[in-house]
Amino acid sequence: MGTDLESVLVSKEEIDAKLAELAAKIDAEYAGKELLLVGVLKGAVMVMADLARTLSNPVTMDWMAVSSYGAGTQSSGVVRILKDLDTDIKGKHVLIVEDIIDSGLTLSWLLSNLGSREPASLNVCTLLRKPDAAKVAIDVKWVGFDIPSEFVVGYGLDYGEKYRNLPFVGTLAPHVYGG
Ligand code: PRP
């Protein structure tokens, strides 16, 4: 995998198995209801595509792109919309699909923003969560893996826009990011 990566934290097989498990729960929760998956660009592209294909029930999909104001790699909690949803979610069952919850600030803002649009329901599914990095408490209905606060890349997650296309989640060697 090259010298930039230190280790595989979550393998492709582990991701596939977890998505199957989550998909079964999501299918059961929304049985008989119309579900809209909202992916948060760009990181959630992989998990959105794979989760959607693992669900048995039909869903629709929409995307948001948001950017956090502030320096460096840290989320500030002040978010601006780069691309809004194409659809009106009023009265719809909405599931936000995320790759990772770090500080939780992005999601906290998203939940408040989308919640104000009066969806019938609003839940969150994330592949990864860093419990030790949480700055705000968020009610997340479905979590794939709780992971340590390490610099992770792959399966949608980037460092300087690289590594998103790795089929697994790995930790980056400290020499790459100057850690
Ligand atoms: C990542 C991730 C979440 C957010 C989580 O996105 O996809 O949206 O950070 O961080 P937080 O919990 O500390 O707010 P990022 O801003 O890196 O954009 P990207 O998805 O385009 O890589």
Side-chain angles (χ1 to χ4, degrees), residues 40-43 75 98-106 158 164:
V40 186
L41 295 167
K42 305 173 191 165
S75 203
E98 264 286 25
D99 50 338
I100 190 165
I101 301 172
D102 202 316
S103 69
L105 293 170
T106 304
D158 74 308
R164 290 194 199 273

Side-chain angles (χ1 to χ4, degrees), residues 54-125:
T54 313
L55 292 167
S56 298
N57 296 333
V59 293
T60 51
M61 289 184 250
D62 204 345
W63 300 89
M64 265 187 101
V66 296
S67 169
S68 187
Y69 284 109
T73 53
Q74 295 290 310
S75 203
S76 66
V78 183
V79 173
R80 108 188 119 106
I81 297 175
L82 302 178
K83 186 223 166 286
D84 207 340
L85 297 175
D86 295 333
T87 40
D88 181 3
I89 61 170
K90 187 169 182 174
K92 292 188 180 167
H93 294 283
V94 175
L95 177 62
I96 300 174
V97 178
E98 264 286 25
D99 50 338
I100 190 165
I101 301 172
D102 202 316
S103 69
L105 293 170
T106 304
L107 196 54
S108 170
W109 183 91
L110 261 178
L111 281 169
S112 143
N113 184 286
L114 296 187
S116 72
R117 304 183 195 191
E118 300 176 39
S121 68
L122 182 60
N123 282 313
V124 179
C125 176

Side-chain angles (χ1 to χ4, degrees), residues 22-69:
L22 293 174
K25 291 178 183 168
I26 293 167
D27 272 329
E29 176 78 20
Y30 295 100
K33 294 176 180 164
E34 285 183 23
L35 176 61
L36 171 69
L37 302 180
V38 169
V40 186
L41 295 167
K42 305 173 191 165
V45 165
M46 305 294 177
V47 60
M48 180 83 155
D50 287 343
L51 177 69
R53 277 180 288 195
T54 313
L55 292 167
S56 298
N57 296 333
V59 293
T60 51
M61 289 184 250
D62 204 345
W63 300 89
M64 265 187 101
V66 296
S67 169
S68 187
Y69 284 109

